[in-house]
Amino acid sequence: MSENSAAPGTPPATAPGPRPEPIRFFGTTWVGHDGGYGLRRAGVAAGSLVAAVAACFVLRFAYQGLEIAEVGGFVGVLVIAMFSICSAIAFRKTWEGFGARPEDPSREDALRGLKSIGFIGSLLAYFVRSLTEAPGEKLRRTEYEKARAQFEKRRSARTGNPAARKASGRKRPKRG
C-alpha cells in the first residue's frame, strides 16, 4: 500500500507518540478538521435529526395501533410517559457521555436497555452536539492533548544517548 492510501485525517503510521482515538463517522478527521470534517458534521446532524423524526412517526403509528386495539386511556398514558421519561434519561446520559468517560461502566451497561427505549433522546443529543462539534470531540481532544504533552515531556527529558554517558567515578577501558 502507498502512503496516500490512508484515510483522511489519519496520522502516518510512523509518527511517534500517542494516536488520536477515532470517533464514529469522523475517524480522526476531528484532530485537524480536515478530510471533509464539516460535511461529515452536517451529514451526522441531518442524519440524526431525520432518524429522530422517523422514529417519532413510528411511535405515533404504534400509539395509533394501541388506540385501534382500544386498550384504554391508562395504557396510552403509560406508553407516552415511558417513552418520554426514557428519552429524557437517554438524552442526559448520551450528553454526559460526550463530556466525560463513565465512572462506572457496569452502570452504563445496566442503562443500555433504558437508552434503547429512549433512543429518540439519544438521537436528539447526537443532533444537538453535532451542531457545534463532532460528538465526543472535546473529550477526546482533551485526552489526546494531555497524552501528547506527557509524551513530549518524557521525550524531552531524554537527552542524548544513555550508553554514551560517563559512568560516575570510573572510566571504561578503551578498546582497541
Side-chain angles (χ1 to χ4, degrees):
M1 288 176 59
S2 69
E3 291 180 22
N4 296 333
S5 64
T10 305
T14 58
R19 303 240 190 284
E21 183 179 348
I23 297 176
R24 182 182 300 150
F25 304 121
F26 294 92
T28 56
T29 60
W30 60 268
V31 176
H33 291 190
D34 57 353
Y37 172 81
L39 289 174
R40 289 176 191 221
R41 253 189 46 211
V44 165
S48 59
L49 185 61
V50 167
V53 169
C56 287
F57 278 119
V58 169
L59 289 178
R60 178 176 164 82
F61 294 142
Y63 183 76
Q64 286 177 342
L66 291 175
E67 286 181 343
I68 292 171
E70 298 178 359
V71 293
F74 182 69
V75 173
V77 170
L78 284 179
V79 168
I80 291 172
M82 176 194 63
F83 276 106
S84 300
I85 292 169
C86 290
S87 290
I89 292 171
F91 181 93
R92 188 176 130 242
K93 287 299 184 181
T94 303
W95 191 264
E96 289 174 355
F98 295 145
R101 301 274 181 189
E103 293 177 17
D104 187 10
S106 62
R107 180 166 161 73
E108 289 297 314
D109 288 341
L111 290 174
R112 187 172 294 164
L114 187 118
K115 287 168 107 177
S116 297
I117 294 170
F119 64 99
I120 293 174
S122 292
L123 288 170
L124 290 176
Y126 216 78
F127 166 72
V128 172
R129 181 61 100 174
S130 63
L131 293 176
T132 58
E133 67 177 8
E137 177 181 347
K138 184 176 181 181
L139 171 66
R140 287 179 176 82
R141 186 172 302 283
T142 303
E143 291 173 347
Y144 178 63
E145 288 174 356
K146 182 179 176 183
R148 290 290 301 176
Q150 288 175 347
F151 174 76
E152 291 300 325
K153 184 178 178 183
R154 282 192 312 257
R155 188 173 182 199
S156 66
R158 298 181 204 147
T159 56
N161 184 353
R165 292 186 192 150
K166 292 183 181 179
S168 59
R170 70 173 191 192
K171 292 186 177 182
R172 299 175 109 188
K174 291 186 177 180
R175 293 185 184 174

